[in-house]
Each structure stands twice: as structure tokens, then as C-alpha cells.
């Protein structure tokens, strides 16, 4: 432990249309609040290819989802349990306490002062983790680390190890690579708030070994993930130090104490789901010739493109959902227009959902008599998180309506 510690010292993540929420889902990437599987749900949510992963902490709340406002990083034990938690099916060898994990984390960090320690042991049903507030003399910073065990060949792991689409998740750098021992490592320098409404930086490392053991570390340039002002320009650990932290052999005995992962549930295909490739093909063919596509991506039921007509980038996203008759009354109430073929149309023009300065969102939501729904939105920016790049979206409301009601979707 001391050798790595010395080496470290030396290298020193809703608006309503006719009463129905349209919420970003995810397919490509994201962060803790972001590991949400793509969403052609009954509410007709937008599956903005934002994110499914970035390790356990980026989504499932290993750091902060259950913690109180202004707390350090780690989620607190459930009421009635000890710091070590309740017993789940154990893995190999002895179990380890929360205090052991905290001491191990502190021993792997550079010289500094520690406070706000919190953690869970290997017997806790929520899984082991440790977090501290670390001060190397340059300002307090929250650092948290969680351990897990997964099927290394699962689709979820592949998603968590992929860098996100910057259209939905801004970051400064991201890399995903395989190490010499076969472990796969993700390193990311991003932000706590995608719209950067605060200067809180979030840096992250996530490694999956060939055996399926995971180590997931995050750090911030503030004493807490949320609710505390920035205390330093950057988080304390460099990317090299974060890599050394998650790949340390000190975690191996603790990891071996974890139970084997449960089998990943078989994902049932969505009936009659329209493929992302088909949606992209139809969408791009229906765009005005002036709208040149610069970026595109799609998944079952959803796609987005970024277009530029010479006046600036404009994001266009679309959901295509069959069998939505059961929510027709909720989504298509007041303000609905009914076309001669029975298709119902509602429109909305308002501010964007993600906080980008001056961003507006224009939406056309349609549902046919058989329950086939197409909802499309355009923005006056290439992303929802950054400031407007133009006065209005590249597509007019008339053009959006023409796309949404096109007969191409019926095929």
C-alpha cells in the first residue's frame, strides 16, 4: 500500500405536452443520474442518447444518491443497519468492514488531511464503498470509491465503459481502453452539472477486471458532490492517480469477498420497435436540403441528428413509438388538432429543458388512430446543455409537423 501511496504522491448527468412528460432516457452514456436505459415508455419519454453508465457511481447512486444535502460522497446505510450493513450471500474469504475500506482508501491517497469519512462494508446489501473529504492543502475535495462484481461480458458493462455522446453529456476528456492484464478502464473528466450552472468538476475512473470485479472512483473539486461551493480549481487526483487508485491490488482481497453477480435479466424486445437505423434513414430523408447533418445516432425507438443550415448547429431528436393508444387521453388533451386521417397533433414552443442559455425547444407530438406515435423536437443549439447558437431551430414548426406526420413512418 505504501508503494502505491508514494507513487500517487509523486504523480501528485420536464416539460409537459398535452399533460404528458417528455423525459430524457439514455442509450449511449451518461453519469450517475444518467445510467437510465433508453425509454420508449408509456409516457412517451425522449430517449436522449445521454448515458447509461460511467460506472456504478455515475448512475445508481453509489456516491450521493442516498446521501443528504451537502454530505460527502457516500450513500448512508439504511435505517436500522450498521455501517457494515446486513449480510448478503458472501463471496470468497473473510468479510471487510466499512472502516477497513475507508482506511484502505485513505492509505492509497497522497498526503493530506481527511474528514467526513463514510462507508459500507462487504456484508452490506447495498455493496461496499468508502468516501472521504480530502485536503492536500489546496482545498477540500470529496473522493468516493465503490467496489462491485459483475458479469464482465454483460451488455451493461459494455455500456458503462463507453464514452458518452457530447451532445447530451459535456466533458473535457474521456478514454476507454483495455489494459495489459485484460482489465477495461474508463477515465473521464467531466462536470457535476451538464449545463455547468456551477463550476463543480467531476472526474471519474471505472475499471472492470476479466473476472468481473469492478472498482469505481469519483472525485470533485468541492467538499461534496452537491450543495457545497467549489473549493479548488480542479479535483486533487490526476487521471494517472485515479487510474492507480482503481487498479491497486489492495482492493483484490476485498473484491474476492463479494458474492457472485446475479444473472443479467434477459431483455425482452419491445414489440414492433422501430430500429434506430430505420428512424435515422427516414428522418434524414425528410429533412430540408438546407439542413446538413453533422452528427447522428439512433437506437430502437429513438434517434437524433445535429444539423447546420449555415446559421449554426441545431439538435433534432425524435421518438417513434407504436402501441401508445393507452396514453392517448393523457398526452393529447387540450390544444389538440385532428387531421383528416384521424391523426392527433399537439405542438409546444418553449425554453429548453437542460439549462442552456437562450435555448428554445420546439416540439410536434403526433399519434395516429392505431396508436402509432411520432414526437419530434428541435433546438436552437447543437446540444441542450450549451448556449444557443442561433435565434431559432433549423426546422420550422411546419417542417417538424411534416416530418412527424409523414407516411414514411407507417412503413
Amino acid at each position: 500500500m505504501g508503494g502505491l501511496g508514494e507513487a500517487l504522491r509523486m504523480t501528485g448527468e420536464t416539460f409537459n405536452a398535452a399533460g404528458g412528460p417528455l423525459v430524457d432516457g439514455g442509450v449511449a452514456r451518461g453519469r450517475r443520474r444518467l445510467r437510465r436505459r433508453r425509454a420508449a415508455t408509456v409516457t412517451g419519454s425522449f430517449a436522449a442518447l445521454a448515458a447509461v453508465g460511467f460506472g456504478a457511481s455515475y448512475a445508481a447512486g453509489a456516491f450521493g444518491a442516498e446521501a443528504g444535502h451537502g454530505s460527502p460522497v457516500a450513500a448512508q446505510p439504511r435505517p436500522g443497519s450498521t455501517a457494515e450493513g446486513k449480510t448478503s450471500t458472501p463471496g470468497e474469504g473473510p468479510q471487510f468492514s466499512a472502516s477497513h475500506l475507508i482506511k484502505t482508501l485513505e492509505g492509497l491517497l497522497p498526503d493530506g488531511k481527511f474528514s467526513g469519512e463514510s462507508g459500507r462494508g462487504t456484508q452490506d446489501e447495498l455493496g461496499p464503498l468508502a468516501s472521504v473529504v480530502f485536503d492536500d492543502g489546496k482545498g477540500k475535495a470529496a473522493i468516493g470509491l465503490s467496489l462491485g462484481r459483475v458479469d464482465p461480458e454483460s451488455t451493461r458493462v459494455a455500456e458503462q465503459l463507453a464514452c458518452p455522446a457530447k451532445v447530451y453529456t459535456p466533458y473535457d476528456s474521456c478514454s476507454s481502453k483495455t489494459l495489459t492484464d485484460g482489465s477495461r478502464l474508463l477515465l473521464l473528466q467531466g462536470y457535476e452539472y451538464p449545463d455547468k450552472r456551477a463550476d463543480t468538476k467531476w472526474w471519474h475512473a471505472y475499471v472492470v477486471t476479466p473476472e468481473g470485479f469492478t472498482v469505481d472512483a469519483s472525485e470533485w473539486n468541492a467538499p461534496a458532490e452537491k450543495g457545497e461551493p467549489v473549493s479548488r480549481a480542479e479535483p486533487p487526483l490526476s487521471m494517472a492517480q485515479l487510474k492507480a487508485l482503481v487498479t491497486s491490488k489492495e482492493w483484490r482481497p476485498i473484491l474476492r469477498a463479494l458474492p457472485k453477480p446475479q444473472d443479467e435479466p434477459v431483455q425482452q424486445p419491445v414489440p414492433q420497435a422501430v430500429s434506430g437505423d430505420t428512424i435515422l434513414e427516414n428522418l434524414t430523408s425528410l429533412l430540408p436540403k438546407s439542413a446538413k447533418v453533422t452528427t447522428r445516432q439512433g437506437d430502437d425507438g429513438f434517434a437524433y441528428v445535429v444539423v447546420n443550415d449555415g446559421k449554426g448547429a441545431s439538435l433534432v431528436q425524435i421518438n417513434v413509438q407504436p402501441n401508445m393508444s393507452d396514453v392517448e387521453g393523457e398526452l393529447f388533451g387540450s390544444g389538440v388538432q385532428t387531421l383528416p386521417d384521424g391523426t392527433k397533433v399537439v405542438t409546444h414552443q418553449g425554453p429548453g429543458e437542460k439549462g442552456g442559455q437562450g435555448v428554445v425547444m420546439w416540439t410536434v407530438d403526433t399519434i395516429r388512430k392505431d396508436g402509432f406515435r411520432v414526437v419530434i423536437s428541435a433546438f436552437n443549439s447543437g446540444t441542450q446543455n450549451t448556449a444557443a447558437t442561433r435565434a431559432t431551430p433549423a426546422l420550422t414548426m411546419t417542417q417538424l409537423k411534416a416530418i412527424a406526420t409523414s407516411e414514411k413512418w407507417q412503413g
Side-chain angles (χ1 to χ4, degrees), residues 392-408:
T392 60
L395 274 63
T396 66
M397 293 295 289
T398 299
Q399 290 170 326
L400 290 173
K401 180 179 177 181
I403 293 173
T405 58
S406 171
E407 293 183 358
K408 284 196 173 185

PDB file of all heavy atoms in Angstrom, residues 392-408:
ATOM      1  N   THR A 392     -33.396  30.671 -33.673  1.00  0.00           N
ATOM      2  CA  THR A 392     -34.445  29.664 -33.684  1.00  0.00           C
ATOM      3  C   THR A 392     -33.879  28.342 -34.191  1.00  0.00           C
ATOM      4  O   THR A 392     -32.813  28.304 -34.817  1.00  0.00           O
ATOM      5  CB  THR A 392     -35.620  30.084 -34.592  1.00  0.00           C
ATOM      6  OG1 THR A 392     -35.135  30.253 -35.938  1.00  0.00           O
ATOM      7  CG2 THR A 392     -36.246  31.385 -34.098  1.00  0.00           C
ATOM      8  N   PRO A 393     -34.564  27.222 -33.961  1.00  0.00           N
ATOM      9  CA  PRO A 393     -34.099  25.945 -34.508  1.00  0.00           C
ATOM     10  C   PRO A 393     -34.013  25.972 -36.033  1.00  0.00           C
ATOM     11  O   PRO A 393     -34.643  26.801 -36.695  1.00  0.00           O
ATOM     12  CB  PRO A 393     -35.170  24.957 -34.027  1.00  0.00           C
ATOM     13  CG  PRO A 393     -35.740  25.585 -32.790  1.00  0.00           C
ATOM     14  CD  PRO A 393     -35.740  27.056 -33.081  1.00  0.00           C
ATOM     15  N   ALA A 394     -33.261  25.040 -36.572  1.00  0.00           N
ATOM     16  CA  ALA A 394     -33.076  24.977 -38.023  1.00  0.00           C
ATOM     17  C   ALA A 394     -34.333  24.519 -38.743  1.00  0.00           C
ATOM     18  O   ALA A 394     -34.472  24.749 -39.945  1.00  0.00           O
ATOM     19  CB  ALA A 394     -31.913  24.046 -38.358  1.00  0.00           C
ATOM     20  N   LEU A 395     -35.250  23.858 -38.031  1.00  0.00           N
ATOM     21  CA  LEU A 395     -36.509  23.415 -38.623  1.00  0.00           C
ATOM     22  C   LEU A 395     -37.660  24.236 -38.073  1.00  0.00           C
ATOM     23  O   LEU A 395     -37.733  24.513 -36.875  1.00  0.00           O
ATOM     24  CB  LEU A 395     -36.761  21.930 -38.321  1.00  0.00           C
ATOM     25  CG  LEU A 395     -36.129  20.901 -39.272  1.00  0.00           C
ATOM     26  CD1 LEU A 395     -34.608  20.990 -39.231  1.00  0.00           C
ATOM     27  CD2 LEU A 395     -36.583  19.488 -38.905  1.00  0.00           C
ATOM     28  N   THR A 396     -38.553  24.630 -38.945  1.00  0.00           N
ATOM     29  CA  THR A 396     -39.736  25.367 -38.521  1.00  0.00           C
ATOM     30  C   THR A 396     -40.768  24.403 -37.944  1.00  0.00           C
ATOM     31  O   THR A 396     -40.670  23.179 -38.106  1.00  0.00           O
ATOM     32  CB  THR A 396     -40.367  26.109 -39.706  1.00  0.00           C
ATOM     33  OG1 THR A 396     -40.868  25.139 -40.639  1.00  0.00           O
ATOM     34  CG2 THR A 396     -39.343  27.009 -40.397  1.00  0.00           C
ATOM     35  N   MET A 397     -41.790  24.939 -37.296  1.00  0.00           N
ATOM     36  CA  MET A 397     -42.857  24.096 -36.783  1.00  0.00           C
ATOM     37  C   MET A 397     -43.577  23.370 -37.917  1.00  0.00           C
ATOM     38  O   MET A 397     -43.964  22.210 -37.779  1.00  0.00           O
ATOM     39  CB  MET A 397     -43.846  24.934 -35.971  1.00  0.00           C
ATOM     40  CG  MET A 397     -43.277  25.504 -34.680  1.00  0.00           C
ATOM     41  SD  MET A 397     -42.822  24.221 -33.476  1.00  0.00           S
ATOM     42  CE  MET A 397     -44.443  23.637 -32.969  1.00  0.00           C
ATOM     43  N   THR A 398     -43.713  24.032 -39.044  1.00  0.00           N
ATOM     44  CA  THR A 398     -44.350  23.401 -40.203  1.00  0.00           C
ATOM     45  C   THR A 398     -43.532  22.216 -40.689  1.00  0.00           C
ATOM     46  O   THR A 398     -44.072  21.140 -41.022  1.00  0.00           O
ATOM     47  CB  THR A 398     -44.533  24.419 -41.336  1.00  0.00           C
ATOM     48  OG1 THR A 398     -45.371  25.487 -40.884  1.00  0.00           O
ATOM     49  CG2 THR A 398     -45.154  23.772 -42.560  1.00  0.00           C
ATOM     50  N   GLN A 399     -42.213  22.370 -40.724  1.00  0.00           N
ATOM     51  CA  GLN A 399     -41.345  21.280 -41.157  1.00  0.00           C
ATOM     52  C   GLN A 399     -41.350  20.130 -40.146  1.00  0.00           C
ATOM     53  O   GLN A 399     -41.356  18.957 -40.535  1.00  0.00           O
ATOM     54  CB  GLN A 399     -39.924  21.807 -41.366  1.00  0.00           C
ATOM     55  CG  GLN A 399     -39.799  22.721 -42.578  1.00  0.00           C
ATOM     56  CD  GLN A 399     -38.462  23.433 -42.644  1.00  0.00           C
ATOM     57  OE1 GLN A 399     -37.884  23.786 -41.609  1.00  0.00           O
ATOM     58  NE2 GLN A 399     -37.961  23.662 -43.855  1.00  0.00           N
ATOM     59  N   LEU A 400     -41.352  20.458 -38.875  1.00  0.00           N
ATOM     60  CA  LEU A 400     -41.420  19.411 -37.852  1.00  0.00           C
ATOM     61  C   LEU A 400     -42.717  18.621 -37.965  1.00  0.00           C
ATOM     62  O   LEU A 400     -42.719  17.390 -37.853  1.00  0.00           O
ATOM     63  CB  LEU A 400     -41.303  20.036 -36.458  1.00  0.00           C
ATOM     64  CG  LEU A 400     -39.940  20.619 -36.079  1.00  0.00           C
ATOM     65  CD1 LEU A 400     -40.033  21.354 -34.742  1.00  0.00           C
ATOM     66  CD2 LEU A 400     -38.874  19.524 -35.997  1.00  0.00           C
ATOM     67  N   LYS A 401     -43.820  19.320 -38.210  1.00  0.00           N
ATOM     68  CA  LYS A 401     -45.108  18.648 -38.361  1.00  0.00           C
ATOM     69  C   LYS A 401     -45.106  17.744 -39.592  1.00  0.00           C
ATOM     70  O   LYS A 401     -45.624  16.618 -39.556  1.00  0.00           O
ATOM     71  CB  LYS A 401     -46.229  19.683 -38.468  1.00  0.00           C
ATOM     72  CG  LYS A 401     -47.618  19.078 -38.624  1.00  0.00           C
ATOM     73  CD  LYS A 401     -48.684  20.169 -38.702  1.00  0.00           C
ATOM     74  CE  LYS A 401     -50.058  19.573 -38.943  1.00  0.00           C
ATOM     75  NZ  LYS A 401     -51.108  20.631 -39.040  1.00  0.00           N
ATOM     76  N   ALA A 402     -44.514  18.217 -40.674  1.00  0.00           N
ATOM     77  CA  ALA A 402     -44.453  17.412 -41.900  1.00  0.00           C
ATOM     78  C   ALA A 402     -43.655  16.131 -41.672  1.00  0.00           C
ATOM     79  O   ALA A 402     -44.015  15.053 -42.174  1.00  0.00           O
ATOM     80  CB  ALA A 402     -43.847  18.236 -43.030  1.00  0.00           C
ATOM     81  N   ILE A 403     -42.570  16.225 -40.912  1.00  0.00           N
ATOM     82  CA  ILE A 403     -41.768  15.036 -40.617  1.00  0.00           C
ATOM     83  C   ILE A 403     -42.557  14.063 -39.750  1.00  0.00           C
ATOM     84  O   ILE A 403     -42.609  12.856 -40.018  1.00  0.00           O
ATOM     85  CB  ILE A 403     -40.449  15.446 -39.924  1.00  0.00           C
ATOM     86  CG1 ILE A 403     -39.558  16.229 -40.900  1.00  0.00           C
ATOM     87  CG2 ILE A 403     -39.712  14.208 -39.402  1.00  0.00           C
ATOM     88  CD1 ILE A 403     -38.315  16.814 -40.260  1.00  0.00           C
ATOM     89  N   ALA A 404     -43.169  14.586 -38.692  1.00  0.00           N
ATOM     90  CA  ALA A 404     -43.868  13.722 -37.744  1.00  0.00           C
ATOM     91  C   ALA A 404     -45.065  13.018 -38.368  1.00  0.00           C
ATOM     92  O   ALA A 404     -45.411  11.888 -37.984  1.00  0.00           O
ATOM     93  CB  ALA A 404     -44.315  14.528 -36.530  1.00  0.00           C
ATOM     94  N   THR A 405     -45.719  13.646 -39.328  1.00  0.00           N
ATOM     95  CA  THR A 405     -46.932  13.071 -39.928  1.00  0.00           C
ATOM     96  C   THR A 405     -46.661  12.380 -41.261  1.00  0.00           C
ATOM     97  O   THR A 405     -47.587  11.919 -41.923  1.00  0.00           O
ATOM     98  CB  THR A 405     -47.985  14.163 -40.148  1.00  0.00           C
ATOM     99  OG1 THR A 405     -47.441  15.197 -40.983  1.00  0.00           O
ATOM    100  CG2 THR A 405     -48.427  14.774 -38.821  1.00  0.00           C
ATOM    101  N   SER A 406     -45.385  12.269 -41.645  1.00  0.00           N
ATOM    102  CA  SER A 406     -45.052  11.642 -42.909  1.00  0.00           C
ATOM    103  C   SER A 406     -45.524  10.196 -42.984  1.00  0.00           C
ATOM    104  O   SER A 406     -45.466   9.452 -41.997  1.00  0.00           O
ATOM    105  CB  SER A 406     -43.538  11.682 -43.132  1.00  0.00           C
ATOM    106  OG  SER A 406     -43.163  10.898 -44.239  1.00  0.00           O
ATOM    107  N   GLU A 407     -45.945   9.758 -44.156  1.00  0.00           N
ATOM    108  CA  GLU A 407     -46.374   8.383 -44.357  1.00  0.00           C
ATOM    109  C   GLU A 407     -45.209   7.385 -44.282  1.00  0.00           C
ATOM    110  O   GLU A 407     -45.428   6.189 -44.165  1.00  0.00           O
ATOM    111  CB  GLU A 407     -47.065   8.256 -45.712  1.00  0.00           C
ATOM    112  CG  GLU A 407     -48.392   9.010 -45.793  1.00  0.00           C
ATOM    113  CD  GLU A 407     -49.088   8.810 -47.133  1.00  0.00           C
ATOM    114  OE1 GLU A 407     -48.506   8.108 -47.986  1.00  0.00           O
ATOM    115  OE2 GLU A 407     -50.210   9.338 -47.316  1.00  0.00           O
ATOM    116  N   LYS A 408     -43.976   7.904 -44.324  1.00  0.00           N
ATOM    117  CA  LYS A 408     -42.816   7.011 -44.239  1.00  0.00           C
ATOM    118  C   LYS A 408     -42.796   6.216 -42.945  1.00  0.00           C
ATOM    119  O   LYS A 408     -42.306   5.080 -42.913  1.00  0.00           O
ATOM    120  CB  LYS A 408     -41.525   7.812 -44.387  1.00  0.00           C
ATOM    121  CG  LYS A 408     -41.211   8.243 -45.800  1.00  0.00           C
ATOM    122  CD  LYS A 408     -39.770   8.680 -45.954  1.00  0.00           C
ATOM    123  CE  LYS A 408     -39.440   8.942 -47.430  1.00  0.00           C
ATOM    124  NZ  LYS A 408     -38.004   9.251 -47.629  1.00  0.00           N
TER     125      LYS A 408
END
